[in-house]
């Protein structure tokens, strides 16, 4: 009987190996399934935690954005508030400065007002004193002159002296303030010439001066154009008593009858002034322009400004010294040098100078 051949990979061996391999696989499957279940459980918890953390992160990001926006808005509000604070501070400083200035001005005004009150009280006392003196002297004036509306005027021209001369320009230029109107009025009838506004002002000025004459003084009224004549011819070279109401009134009435005409000779007036005996101690000169001739008529029909100044100087040189000459000037068109010349005359002689308004006296 033949012996059987031994084979390493026999059926039994393969069965054993298959069973072993299947057992290993079974064990692996059992172990791997438990691990997967455990891993799945672990992953599920971690995933939940991750999702929760992601949600918190997202929520945090949203909250952070809102917080950042709130911070930016707050920063802008703070900047705006600071800007407003600076503006308010500047405005407040300005208001404080203005208040300080207003307080200073108020104090200055109060001080000025108090000063004005003090001055007013002083003036009222002066008025009361003058009224008392006027009441004492009531009835001492021979003539009375009241301006329009019963006004009183402060001229700085004191009417005083023992012998008072009122010298009035009665040349044609006293008809008006302009050369054209002088020529027009010179060709009108006598009634219209006497009614000329400038001449009526001249008459009113003479009346005003005569009303201010002291009762214990003497006077003379001389009208001059190319000649110089007293209003009352019989009083030539002498004086009339102010207390003589008839003489004063007659002189004024005679003056009102004059019609301005001819040129202006201030030199002839100076000669007539020197012929008065005794000499005046106060002269009131009513005039409107520089002289147009000397003691004689000029050769030509016109006189230049330089010639008129020369005639003025010649006339002034013939006025006796130490006699105040008070000038009342009614300015004439085209004679700009007159005001300065007569102002010099008043200052040099110790008199006063006024160029009154149209409604004076």
């Amino acid at each position: 009987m033949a012996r059987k051949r031994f084979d390493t990979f026999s059926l039994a061996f393969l069965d054993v190996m298959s069973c072993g391999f299947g057992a290993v696989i079974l064990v692996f499957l059992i172990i791997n399934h438990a691990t997967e279940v455990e891993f799945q459980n672990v992953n599920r918890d971690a995933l939940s935690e991750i999702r929760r953390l992601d949600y918190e992160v997202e929520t945090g990001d949203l909250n952070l954005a809102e917080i950042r926006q709130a911070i930016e808005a707050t920063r802008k509000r703070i900047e705006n508030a600071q800007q407003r604070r600076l503006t308010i501070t500047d405005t407040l400083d300005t208001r404080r400065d203005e208040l300080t200035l207003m307080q200073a001005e108020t104090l200055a005004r109060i001080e000025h007002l108090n000063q004005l009150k003090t001055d007013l009280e002083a003036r009222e006392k002066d008025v009361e004193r003058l009224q008392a003196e006027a009441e004492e002297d009531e009835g001492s004036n021979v003539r009375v002159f009241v301006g329009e509306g019963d006004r009183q005027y402060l001229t700085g021209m004191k009417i005083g002296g023992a012998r008072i001369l009122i010298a009035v320009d009665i040349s044609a230029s006293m008809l008006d303030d302009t050369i054209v109107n002088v020529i027009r009025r010179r060709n009108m009838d006598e009634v219209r010439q006497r009614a000329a506004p400038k001449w009526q002002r001249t008459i009113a000025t003479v009346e005003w001066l005569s009303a201010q004459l002291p009762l214990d003084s003497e006077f003379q009224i001389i009208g001059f154009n190319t000649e110089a004549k007293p209003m009352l011819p019989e009083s030539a070279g002498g004086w009339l008593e102010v207390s003589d109401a008839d003489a004063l009134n007659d002189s004024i009435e005679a003056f009102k009858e004059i019609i301005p005409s001819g040129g202006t000779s201030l030199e002839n007036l100076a000669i007539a002034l020197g012929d008065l005996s005794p000499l005046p101690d106060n002269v009131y000169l009513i005039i409107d322009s520089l002289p147009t001739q000397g003691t004689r008529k000029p050769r030509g029909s016109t006189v230049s400004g330089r010639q008129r100044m020369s005639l003025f100087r010649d006339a002034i040189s013939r006025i006796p010294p130490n006699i105040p000459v008070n000038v009342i000037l009614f300015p004439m068109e085209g004679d700009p040098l007159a005001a300065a010349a007569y102002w010099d005359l008043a200052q040099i002689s110790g008199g006063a100078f006024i160029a009154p308004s149209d409604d004076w006296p």
Side-chain angles (χ1 to χ4, degrees), residues 7-25:
D7 190 357
T8 306
F9 297 98
S10 64
L11 180 60
F13 177 78
L14 291 174
D15 290 338
V16 172
M17 290 299 291
S18 299
C19 290
F21 182 69
V24 171
I25 292 173

Side-chain angles (χ1 to χ4, degrees), residues 195-317:
K198 183 176 180 180
W199 182 242
Q200 289 300 312
R201 283 180 62 203
T202 304
I203 293 174
T205 301
V206 173
E207 289 192 289
W208 182 83
L209 290 172
S210 66
Q212 314 304 316
L213 296 174
L215 187 61
D216 58 350
S217 63
E218 295 178 319
F219 78 96
Q220 183 60 272
I221 301 177
I222 294 179
F224 67 96
N225 44 20
T226 55
E227 299 177 340
K229 298 178 181 179
M231 294 301 100
L232 300 181
E234 62 274 16
S235 65
W239 298 95
L240 300 170
E241 297 287 340
V242 174
S243 57
D244 186 350
D246 291 336
L248 183 57
N249 290 329
D250 289 345
S251 296
I252 298 298
E253 292 304 318
F255 179 73
K256 290 180 179 180
E257 295 299 318
I258 292 176
I259 298 175
S261 61
T264 306
S265 174
L266 190 61
E267 189 171 357
N268 284 335
L269 172 64
I271 294 172
L273 188 156
D275 290 339
L276 291 172
S277 181
L279 292 174
D281 53 17
N282 227 346
V283 176
Y284 295 89
L285 175 62
I286 304 172
I287 198 166
D288 68 345
S289 58
L290 293 173
T292 57
Q293 69 171 65
T295 56
R296 294 177 297 178
K297 292 183 178 181
R299 295 179 181 178
S301 59
T302 60
V303 183
S304 66
R306 180 177 298 179
Q307 290 174 322
R308 297 182 74 175
M309 279 300 301
S310 177
L311 293 170
F312 174 80
R313 295 190 190 96
D314 292 342
I316 297 308
S317 66

Side-chain angles (χ1 to χ4, degrees), residues 66-81:
E66 293 177 356
I67 291 171
R68 286 177 177 173
Q69 291 177 356
I71 291 174
E72 183 65 21
T74 303
R75 185 183 62 78
K76 289 182 178 179
R77 287 197 299 270
I78 291 174
E79 289 179 355
N80 292 335

Side-chain angles (χ1 to χ4, degrees), residues 125-144:
K125 291 180 180 179
D126 290 341
V127 170
E128 291 176 358
R129 178 179 56 80
L130 293 173
Q131 287 177 343
E133 292 178 357
E135 290 176 358
E136 292 178 0
D137 296 338
E138 186 175 0
S140 62
N141 291 337
V142 177
R143 291 180 59 84
V144 176

Side-chain angles (χ1 to χ4, degrees), residues 336-348:
L337 300 178
Y342 286 110
W343 183 85
D344 285 340
L345 170 61
Q347 294 299 307
I348 293 172

Side-chain angles (χ1 to χ4, degrees), residues 62-99:
L62 292 175
N63 292 338
L64 180 60
E66 293 177 356
I67 291 171
R68 286 177 177 173
Q69 291 177 356
I71 291 174
E72 183 65 21
T74 303
R75 185 183 62 78
K76 289 182 178 179
R77 287 197 299 270
I78 291 174
E79 289 179 355
N80 292 335
Q82 289 177 343
Q83 186 64 35
R84 289 197 302 271
R85 181 181 63 81
L86 293 175
T87 302
I88 293 172
T89 302
D90 293 341
T91 303
L92 183 59
D93 292 339
T94 302
R95 294 292 185 271
R96 285 175 178 170
D97 293 340
E98 292 176 354
L99 179 60

Side-chain angles (χ1 to χ4, degrees), residues 146-188:
V146 180
E148 181 182 352
D150 200 19
R151 294 172 296 185
Q152 295 181 357
Y153 294 85
L154 179 64
T155 63
M157 185 174 290
K158 183 179 179 181
I159 311 298
R163 293 172 299 279
I164 302 170
L165 171 62
I166 300 175
V168 189
D169 183 358
I170 58 173
S171 65
S173 64
M174 298 299 284
L175 288 172
D176 206 282
D177 294 329
T178 65
I179 297 175
V180 173
N181 287 336
V182 167
I183 296 173
R184 288 178 58 251
R185 288 191 178 276
R186 190 173 58 184
N187 295 323
M188 294 181 181

